Amino acid sequence: MINRDDMLELTRRMTPSRTCFDRIAGAYVNAWGEIEDTFNIHFGKLSASEQTKNLNLAKTIPFAKTNVQLKEYEISDRVKGSGSMHQLLQGIRECGLKNDDLMDVLYEQLADGYPVDYDCAFYVLHGIYDVPLKAKDKENLRESEEVFDFMICMISPMKGEYEPDEPVFGFLYPAFSDRSADLDRIDIFHKNPEHLEEGLMYKLLGRTQFGRNQR
């Protein structure tokens, strides 16, 4: 189960003045599943309005209804090891999105798992959050307990040219559990939790049955 307080703690670092994000990358995909354009830029180079817009998109994931729209899953051993999705996510996280070849592989995997008949965007943000220690009264102390190195990925329909609408699917990797990174788990978001994206779930988790209807 996801602790709501953990997610709220992350969202408090998703404002222009306190952002923990250092990079954003993405791809624009047409209705035939073809990647038409990509970008990869330091987050600080965006204009103030663009930063705010993208932070609002990213906050959709951790701010979603915990354990309803946003659920935590264990990553199957089937998607671990050499050449696996787990290894891909680890590599992207470790390089902070700076390897365009790895990003292209991720976009291709997402496009393959999300066959829709409309234009959409895949956005990925990389963040580094110094998790502060907490005193017994739950007030934050200045010392850092650990560094949470993470990525947030979102899939959004397009509402205009290079203008993504609010996300319909996304994930936070690694899972932020008990204020710490869990590299074997991932938090997955569905805007409509009654209709799970089975293709994307299979890509990320290596299994197909989740007890809900497909989109």
Side-chain angles (χ1 to χ4, degrees):
M1 298 287 286
I2 297 174
N3 186 323
R4 177 70 173 170
D5 289 340
D6 288 349
M7 296 299 102
L8 294 178
E9 182 174 347
L10 283 183
T11 62
R12 286 193 287 270
R13 295 305 305 270
M14 296 182 185
T15 65
S17 61
R18 302 183 65 198
T19 182
C20 58
F21 293 120
D22 58 4
R23 198 159 196 88
I24 181 171
Y28 300 98
V29 183
N30 64 27
W32 296 274
E34 300 167 338
I35 297 171
E36 293 192 329
D37 198 6
T38 63
F39 69 93
N40 194 326
I41 188 172
H42 191 283
F43 196 77
K45 291 185 178 180
L46 298 177
S47 67
S49 62
E50 286 295 318
Q51 286 189 28
T52 299
K53 186 186 303 182
N54 287 304
L55 287 169
N56 287 336
L57 290 174
K59 278 194 290 190
T60 302
I61 310 306
F63 200 64
K65 294 179 181 178
T66 49
N67 306 304
V68 179
Q69 291 177 304
L70 183 67
K71 293 186 177 182
E72 189 168 292
Y73 296 88
E74 184 174 1
I75 298 174
S76 168
D77 288 339
R78 290 180 57 189
V79 287
K80 292 181 180 178
S82 179
S84 67
M85 175 62 80
H86 185 251
Q87 185 185 54
L88 176 63
L89 295 179
Q90 287 273 52
I92 290 173
R93 169 180 172 268
E94 289 170 3
C95 75
L97 314 187
K98 294 178 181 178
N99 187 318
D100 285 328
D101 290 337
L102 292 182
M103 298 308 300
D104 287 344
V105 174
L106 177 64
Y107 304 145
E108 290 167 2
Q109 290 295 311
L110 294 176
D112 184 58
Y114 191 64
V116 294
D117 58 359
Y118 53 81
D119 297 345
C120 59
F122 305 152
Y123 276 24
V124 187
L125 290 91
H126 176 260
I128 299 175
Y129 172 42
D130 288 327
V131 183
L133 289 167
K134 280 196 173 181
K136 291 182 179 179
D137 60 2
K138 295 187 178 180
E139 289 295 321
N140 289 345
L141 301 176
R142 290 188 177 183
E143 292 83 0
S144 177
E145 188 169 17
E146 75 167 84
V147 175
F148 180 53
D149 187 338
F150 68 102
M151 55 189 283
I152 285 182
C153 177
M154 303 160 284
I155 295 181
S156 300
M158 300 299 291
K159 61 180 180 180
E161 188 175 8
Y162 296 103
E163 188 72 20
D165 206 343
E166 63 181 51
V168 295
F169 179 88
F171 62 83
L172 165 68
Y173 180 78
F176 190 53
S177 181
D178 294 325
R179 306 182 72 239
S180 183
D182 188 336
L183 298 176
D184 294 318
R185 291 182 175 271
I186 184 170
D187 295 337
I188 297 179
F189 163 80
H190 285 87
K191 182 179 179 180
N192 184 353
E194 296 297 322
H195 299 279
L196 300 189
E197 297 295 345
E198 294 280 357
L200 292 168
M201 297 288 275
Y202 181 77
K203 290 287 186 181
L204 293 169
L205 302 173
R207 54 195 178 97
T208 58
Q209 300 301 317
F210 299 95
R212 296 281 187 176
N213 295 328
Q214 292 186 11
R215 172 179 44 81

